[in-house]
Amino acid sequence: MPHPQLQPVQVNEILRGVVKLYQAQLQAPGRMPIACKLELDESLGAIAADPDLLHRALSNLVLNAMDAMPNGGTLTLRSRRDGGKGIIEVADTGSGLTREECERIFTPYYTSKQHGTGLGLAIVQSVVSDHGGRISVQSEPGRGTTFVIELPDNLEALQKIPATQNAGDNTGQFPG
């Protein structure tokens, strides 16, 4: 995975972008509709993150949630601030996971699906940990699943990035 290119990111905008990307699939003809709820804390503010990697990770969680709800249901995306952390939740009302599945779900190549490689959640976990965060899962068979991502706001880290890096210095040389 590429190393995150940190910049100030509005988590709520990333969440809105992911929903917009999958809106047509949520209501696709021939499949049971999935309602989408956004419960966004507008006071969350910016965190230091790589918007592309974060978008990819959240997209993966949304696709997994959609797969878990073949008979329709509700997808809920939440954001909130907890001290110096941004909290993101992706919840579904799908089939849920057993305790054993929850314990193995981030293991590379582990999958409970007919299709897929079992790498998606391992990649999501890698993206989150590369941002200095953590991800956890809460689930119960028949009641759905919630993934909780905690990301430090890390805005002070942006101030420590050398000006030459921000200016696009591509000489490949280190100063000094």
Side-chain angles (χ1 to χ4, degrees):
M1 289 299 299
H3 194 70
Q5 301 298 306
L6 299 180
Q7 58 185 288
V9 170
Q10 296 291 333
V11 170
N12 291 344
E13 290 308 309
I14 302 282
L15 289 168
R16 286 184 187 102
V18 169
V19 168
K20 187 175 182 182
L21 181 65
Y22 294 105
Q23 192 65 50
Q25 287 176 268
L26 293 169
Q27 306 299 321
R31 94 173 268 160
M32 297 297 290
I34 296 173
C36 185
K37 293 182 0 189
L38 285 172
E39 297 175 1
L40 307 179
D41 178 353
E42 295 301 336
S43 69
L44 177 59
I47 66 168
D50 183 313
D52 295 331
L53 291 177
L54 191 56
H55 188 278
R56 252 187 261 169
L58 293 170
S59 291
N60 185 291
L61 293 176
V62 166
L63 284 171
N64 285 349
M66 291 168 55
D67 284 349
M69 297 185 286
N71 298 321
T74 301
L75 169 68
T76 304
L77 302 175
R78 294 182 192 94
S79 70
R80 70 181 190 282
R81 176 163 292 286
D82 183 7
K85 295 182 283 198
I87 310 294
I88 304 167
E89 294 182 16
V90 178
D92 67 62
T93 59
S95 54
L97 302 165
T98 66
R99 189 164 39 103
E100 293 79 20
E101 287 173 315
C102 288
E103 290 171 3
R104 297 184 62 198
I105 201 159
F106 297 109
T107 304
Y109 304 109
Y110 172 77
T111 184
S112 59
K113 297 181 186 179
Q114 299 271 340
H115 61 282
T117 61
L119 288 174
L121 289 174
I123 290 170
V124 170
Q125 184 181 44
S126 175
V127 167
V128 170
S129 64
D130 285 351
H131 281 79
R134 54 184 292 251
I135 184 169
S136 59
V137 61
Q138 303 159 355
S139 188
E140 191 176 325
R143 294 191 175 265
T145 303
T146 301
F147 285 90
V148 180
I149 297 172
E150 299 175 34
L151 296 172
D153 69 23
N154 269 347
L155 291 174
E156 68 281 352
L158 294 177
Q159 297 165 353
K160 295 177 185 170
I161 297 174
T164 55
Q165 186 175 337
N166 288 337
D169 177 15
N170 59 4
T171 63
Q173 302 294 313
F174 290 100

